[in-house]
Amino acid sequence: MSTDFIIALAGQAVFTVLKASAPMLLIGLIVGLAVSIFQATTQIQEQTLAFVPKVAAVLLSILIFGPWILNTLVDFTYNLLNNLYKYIG
């Protein structure tokens, strides 16, 4: 097992994590931006107004994208464990 192989495997793992977390991060970013614009225009500076919609949007995105995220992680894990003999020997 060479260092190039380990770096490539770690790169695949990081890419899989980024791909799995992207829907929640993007939806949280969009909702946070919309709430910030709303707060700036109405001059309401309530902390819960910024926090609660983002949490609700992230939970909703987990419900919507959950099967896809699980499938992505299971595929990566299956590929990793299925090729385990290549990694050891």
Side-chain angles (χ1 to χ4, degrees), residues 26-79:
L26 289 176
I27 290 176
L29 176 72
I30 291 168
V31 170
L33 182 64
V35 169
S36 296
I37 291 171
F38 175 74
Q39 282 184 322
T41 56
T42 60
Q43 295 182 353
I44 299 173
Q45 297 302 324
E46 181 65 31
Q47 293 295 328
T48 56
L49 183 63
F51 183 69
V52 173
K54 285 191 277 189
V55 170
V58 168
L59 289 176
L60 183 66
S61 67
I62 288 174
L63 289 175
I64 293 170
F65 293 106
W68 176 78
I69 293 168
L70 185 63
N71 190 23
T72 302
L73 295 176
V74 166
D75 286 345
F76 176 76
T77 305
Y78 178 77
N79 187 20

Side-chain angles (χ1 to χ4, degrees), residues 15-27:
F15 179 72
T16 302
V17 168
L18 288 175
K19 189 167 72 169
S21 64
M24 282 88 58
L25 292 174
L26 289 176
I27 290 176

